[in-house]
């Protein structure tokens, strides 16, 4: 099977967001970037799918030179080939999805894995967009997956429960935490990844539909009230929640 | 001009967010001199459609079909896009719920529209809608404008207020959308509700516990407090990773983002990744024995003390207040 996996290169979760000079983007100074955490589940599922059906796993990322670090991590986990769709300009999800979909077609992918969402813009869009652009099935927020005879049975997380979804291949699967336990790259994997080439191609041009006019930090919270230092403060806390905050 | 508001229902009942979306559409429509058309998709739903008039819909389009009883990504996307076209809606509002997030990108492609997801505010300036949305798990906010003719916004649940319904009524219009087997290439076959459990993503009050509770058995304290408040139980990643609690309770950057009216954090230190998921809650209460725990920097009220003593006392006081 020709398996494609999308990985994004994002600021790590510890990042303190400082607004850049243009007032629209994060200031990248001092920020550590990493493989988007949900995409680790996507890579793992792609590798498991290769185990079951054979074939190869190609990992693709759209972005600048720095995304190679994330591609190397995916190679170290066991992906066969890496492709960088190069573009350092700011894109919205739609523009990202268009180029990824074009690449998927060109490669002849039969199944695509991605993460539930990128933890930078928290969009959770790319999977659905790519699937619709390709005319494929898509299942988002997937915590369980079975592939049988060209069909998919997936479980996805919804409010207060799970949905059991049946879908036809080809499909885009967006992974949620819980789908699997991502493997750690082995030492050999890391060494091999250094030698595997990363194919580079310019990302196709795409229209920007959603424009950011300003970015800011959320208003800081005024410091709260310490109601007490032991169980005797419980009554006063309940009074405040009832009379002052009016939430109970 | 028309604004189409997708009113999510499950099992023949509107989700609370459906009213929020219709009301938000009405607020925007008033500033654009536009009209709100609400859309309800499902089976056995005609009887509930009228409720949306009270939130500002002048017309409710009902697409009723036994095959639409359970959600289908592909079929719902087709229905929503078709109705948006026949109504010539230029703006489409959906909830940023599990269903809304899943269907919105597919609708965006069908309508060749720009999509801004998980918005927490919408404002209108000289005929242009600006949406505000959290990025970096709430550590940043961006203002965005959509450039395409058709614009889609999804709204974070629990943020926009629906208020009480007015006495206004809406015209109900039944519509058919032709659907064949191919339109159901992705379809839900079964919904497994976690038994009677409230979900953190929808709850108005959440009581969350962290590693300071020492073991899974002590979550009884959290469950009792949550029970007294009719609240959902949440958890930090530390306790989910330890297997004390299921993943669907995890709040934070790699868990759920929540904005309840009250969030009670018990024995949770308040790591940035946890704060990212809950700092937009309206009121935050922290109970922690360490006065320097970062959770106190976002708390409105705090008790610096031992959770094993404070939480039972709190449960007792709440029961007293609510007469339970
Ligand atoms: C990529 C990544 C993603 C992450 N995503 C998330 C996420 O989504 N959600 C999340 O929560 N975390 C997330 N984390 C983990 C996060 O960094 C913290 O490790 C985690 O939130 C800590 O959980 P905790 O507060 O329960 O535990 P701790 O940090 O160990 O805190 C326990 C607290 O309990 C207090 N305590 C101890 N005993 C008592 C007592 N008897 N009474 C009262 N208080 C007591 C202590 O003072 C302490 O403050 C993520 C981390 C990474 C690297
Ligand atoms: N620039 C990118 N390059 C490759 N994959 C991406 C990119 N952006 C998003 N994705 C994939 O799409 C998923 C959802 O991203 P998003 O819609 O941006 O939240 C991510 O988890 C990735 O798998």
């Amino acid at each position: 099977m020709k398996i494609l996996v999308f990985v994004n290169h994002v600021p790590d979760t510890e990042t303190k967001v400082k607004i850049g000079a243009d007032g629209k983007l994060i200031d990248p100074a001092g920020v550590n970037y990493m493989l988007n955490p949900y995409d680790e589940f996507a890579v793992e599922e792609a590798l498991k799918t290769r185990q079951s059906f054979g074939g190869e796993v190609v990992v693709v990322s759209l972005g600048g030179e720095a995304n190679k670090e994330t591609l190397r991590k995916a190679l170290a986990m066991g992906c066969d080939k890496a492709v960088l769709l190069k573009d350092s300009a700011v894109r919205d999800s739609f523009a990202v999805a268009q180029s990824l979909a074009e690449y998927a077609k060109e490669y002849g992918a039969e199944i695509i894995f991605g993460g539930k969402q990128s933890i930078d813009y928290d969009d959770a869009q790319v999977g659905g967009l790519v699937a619709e652009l390709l005319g494929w099935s898509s299942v988002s927020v997937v915590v369980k997956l079975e592939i049988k005879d060209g069909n998919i049975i997936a479980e996805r997380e919804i409010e207060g429960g799970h949905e059991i979804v049946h879908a036809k291949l080809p499909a885009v699967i967006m992974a949620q935490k819980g789908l699997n336990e991502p493997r750690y790259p082995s030492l050999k994997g890391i060494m091999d990844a250094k030698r595997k080439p990363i194919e580079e191609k310019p990302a196709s041009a795409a229209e920007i539909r959603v424009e950011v006019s300003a970015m800011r930090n959320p208003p800081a919270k005024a410091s709260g009230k310490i109601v007490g230092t032991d169980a005797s403060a419980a009554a006063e806390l309940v009074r405040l929640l009832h009379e002052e905050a009016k939430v109970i | 001009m028309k604004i189409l508001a997708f009113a999510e229902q499950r099992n023949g009942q509107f989700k609370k967010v459906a009213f929020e979306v219709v009301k938000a559409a009405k607020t925007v429509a008033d500033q654009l001199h536009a009209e709100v058309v609400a859309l309800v998709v499902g089976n056995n739903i005609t009887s509930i459609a009228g409720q949306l008039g009270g939130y500002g819909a002048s017309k409710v389009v009902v697409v009723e079909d036994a095959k639409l009883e359970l959600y289908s990504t592909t079929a719902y996307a087709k229905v929503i896009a078709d109705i948006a076209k026949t109504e010539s809606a230029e703006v489409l509002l959906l909830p940023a719920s599990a269903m809304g997030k899943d269907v919105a990108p597919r609708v965006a492609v069908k309508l060749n529209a720009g999509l801004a997801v998980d918005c927490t505010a919408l404002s209108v300036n000289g005929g242009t809608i600006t949406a505000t949305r959290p990025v970096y798990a709430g550590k940043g906010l961006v203002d965005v404008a959509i450039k395409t003719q058709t614009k889609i916004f999804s709204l974070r649940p629990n943020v926009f207020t629906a208020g009480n319904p007015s006495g206004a009524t809406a015209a109900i219009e039944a519509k058919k959308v032709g659907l064949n087997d191919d339109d159901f290439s992705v379809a839900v076959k079964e919904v497994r509700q976690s038994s009677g459990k409230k979900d953190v993503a929808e709850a108005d009050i959440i009581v969350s516990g962290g590693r300071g509770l020492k073991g899974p058995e002590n979550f009884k304290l959290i469950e009792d407090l949550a029970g007294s408040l009719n609240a959902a139980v949440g958890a930090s990643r530390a306790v989910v990773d330890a297997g004390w609690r299921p993943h669907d309770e995890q709040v934070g950057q790699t868990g759920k983002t929540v904005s309840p009216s009250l969030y009670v954090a018990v024995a949770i230190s308040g790591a940035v990744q946890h704060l990212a998921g809950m700092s937009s809650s309206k009121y935050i209460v922290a109970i922690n024995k360490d006065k320097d725990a970062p959770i106190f920097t976002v708390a409105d009220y705090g008790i610096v003390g031992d959770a094993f003593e404070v939480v039972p006392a709190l449960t007792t006081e709440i029961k007293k207040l609510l007469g339970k």
Side-chain angles (χ1 to χ4, degrees):
Chain A
M1 201 180 306
K2 291 180 105 171
I3 305 160
L4 194 59
V5 52
F6 293 160
V7 295
N8 201 0
H9 188 62
V10 297
D12 78 17
T13 57
E14 293 284 345
T15 304
K16 302 250 186 310
V17 171
K18 224 181 109 212
I19 313 300
D22 68 350
K24 295 180 184 178
L25 294 169
I26 184 173
D27 177 355
V31 175
N32 286 319
Y33 284 78
M34 62 170 191
L35 169 61
N36 184 44
Y38 296 109
D39 301 353
E40 280 189 46
F41 304 108
V43 171
E44 178 63 35
E45 205 60 26
L47 297 173
K48 281 173 65 181
T49 306
R50 182 184 63 190
Q51 227 159 41
S52 311
F53 298 95
E56 65 167 4
V57 177
V58 173
V59 57
V60 57
S61 189
L62 186 154
E65 191 66 24
N67 289 41
K68 284 184 177 170
E69 187 191 326
T70 272
L71 288 168
R72 291 242 183 265
K73 164 130 197 227
L75 286 173
M77 286 174 75
C79 295
D80 300 298
K81 281 185 201 148
V83 178
L84 175 65
L85 298 178
K86 219 164 172 185
D87 182 17
S88 319
V90 179
R91 285 184 176 231
D92 59 15
S93 287
F94 209 115
V96 171
Q98 271 179 328
S99 296
L100 290 174
E102 273 171 39
Y103 179 75
K105 219 185 268 174
E106 183 188 312
Y107 168 62
E110 291 165 274
I111 189 166
I112 298 175
F113 293 95
K116 172 186 89 147
Q117 73 190 54
S118 304
I119 64 158
D120 50 5
Y121 276 72
D122 297 324
D123 263 326
Q125 289 193 28
V126 163
L129 291 168
V130 167
E132 185 69 31
L133 287 165
L134 294 172
W136 287 20
S137 303
S138 61
V139 192
S140 58
V141 205
V142 173
V143 292
K144 214 169 158 184
L145 180 73
E146 197 187 326
I147 306 171
K148 230 165 80 188
D149 310 326
N151 289 304
I152 281 174
I153 302 175
E155 216 171 298
R156 66 185 294 264
E157 232 174 59
I158 60 162
E159 297 88 357
H162 289 172
E163 280 175 341
I164 314 299
V165 182
H166 287 205
K168 294 199 170 67
L169 281 174
V172 182
I173 302 293
M174 283 90 91
Q176 160 71 320
K177 182 179 175 183
L179 178 60
N180 52 43
E181 276 301 325
R183 66 196 66 186
Y184 289 103
S186 64
L187 200 57
K188 182 173 177 303
I190 294 168
M191 298 311 287
D192 287 352
K194 286 196 177 130
R195 280 195 305 271
K196 288 183 195 166
I198 293 176
E199 186 189 343
E200 281 181 49
K201 319 158 76 67
S204 54
E207 175 200 355
I208 302 296
R209 292 145 189 267
V210 181
E211 239 164 42
V212 174
S213 57
M215 186 193 254
R216 60 187 174 279
N217 291 112
K221 232 177 159 150
S223 60
K225 195 186 282 181
I226 298 298
V227 185
T229 53
D230 58 30
S232 67
E236 174 63 3
L237 175 57
V238 171
R239 188 193 69 78
L240 287 167
L241 291 174
H242 184 59
E243 291 173 13
E244 196 175 88
K246 299 192 169 66
V247 284
I248 61 174
Chain B
M1 194 182 111
K2 283 181 187 168
I3 301 184
L4 186 68
F6 177 71
E8 180 175 340
Q9 63 80 33
R10 281 181 188 265
N11 302 319
Q13 279 191 324
F14 284 120
K15 305 286 268 189
K16 179 165 154 266
V17 72
F19 303 129
E20 296 167 9
V21 167
V22 174
K23 188 59 183 278
K26 175 67 176 162
T27 308
V28 171
D30 283 347
Q31 297 170 73
L32 292 172
H33 310 290
E35 181 196 342
V36 176
V37 177
L39 168 63
V40 195
V41 181
N43 192 28
N44 296 324
I45 45 172
T46 306
S47 60
I48 59 169
Q51 296 172 28
L52 301 174
Y55 296 92
S58 55
K59 178 167 96 176
V60 183
V61 174
V62 178
V63 179
E64 197 170 55
D65 190 325
K67 287 187 290 187
L68 295 168
E69 166 111 35
L70 290 175
Y71 172 64
S72 155
T73 304
T74 37
Y76 272 51
K78 180 169 184 186
V79 170
I80 295 169
D82 265 26
I83 300 298
K85 278 185 202 155
T86 50
E87 292 292 329
S88 318
E90 281 181 35
V91 177
L92 174 55
L93 299 191
L94 298 126
S97 57
M99 186 188 288
K101 281 183 183 168
D102 187 67
V103 81
R106 305 205 64 134
V107 177
V109 173
K110 286 183 191 293
L111 298 176
N112 197 12
L115 165 62
V117 301
D118 211 17
C119 303
T120 53
L122 296 176
S123 63
V124 180
N125 255 313
T128 310
I129 303 175
T130 302
T132 300
R133 51 177 310 257
V135 292
Y136 299 99
K139 289 182 270 184
L141 293 173
V142 289
D143 292 330
V144 300
I146 300 180
K147 304 278 153 200
T148 44
Q149 173 84 23
T150 307
K151 302 168 175 66
I152 309 183
F153 302 89
S154 71
L155 310 186
R156 178 176 290 191
N158 267 338
V159 173
F160 293 82
T161 28
N164 293 318
S166 70
T169 54
I172 312 285
E173 197 176 300
K175 281 244 171 91
K176 283 275 169 240
V177 172
L179 295 166
N180 55 41
D181 283 354
D182 282 347
D183 295 320
F184 290 87
S185 60
V186 183
V188 172
K189 295 295 170 190
E190 187 191 338
V191 179
R192 286 193 198 145
Q193 223 59 45
S194 314
S195 54
K197 195 163 105 174
K198 261 187 180 283
D199 190 82
V200 288
E202 292 194 307
D204 202 38
I205 303 181
I206 297 169
V207 183
S208 285
R211 181 150 54 193
L213 288 165
K214 312 269 186 306
E217 63 285 359
N218 297 327
F219 266 78
K220 178 84 174 55
L221 293 178
I222 303 295
E223 283 165 358
D224 288 349
L225 178 55
S228 74
L229 288 164
N230 196 17
V233 173
S236 72
R237 168 155 157 190
V239 307
V240 171
D241 283 355
W244 300 356
R245 301 300 296 183
H247 175 253
D248 61 8
E249 291 180 1
Q250 183 180 318
V251 172
Q253 188 148 17
T254 49
K256 288 183 175 151
T257 304
V258 300
S259 38
S261 53
L262 175 62
Y263 188 89
V264 184
V266 180
I268 290 176
S269 60
V272 288
Q273 297 94 346
H274 191 80
L275 300 184
M278 46 62 78
S279 55
S280 68
S281 304
K282 289 183 194 92
Y283 283 90
I284 296 169
V285 169
I287 298 165
N288 196 300
K289 68 177 184 188
D290 174 9
K291 69 170 183 11
D292 296 321
I295 189 74
F296 286 118
T297 64
V298 298
D300 300 280
Y301 305 108
I303 294 181
V304 180
D306 186 349
F308 294 97
E309 291 162 17
V310 176
V311 173
L314 206 50
T315 308
T316 310
E317 290 299 330
I318 285 161
K319 284 188 177 156
K320 231 191 266 174
L321 173 76
L322 302 177
K324 285 191 189 169

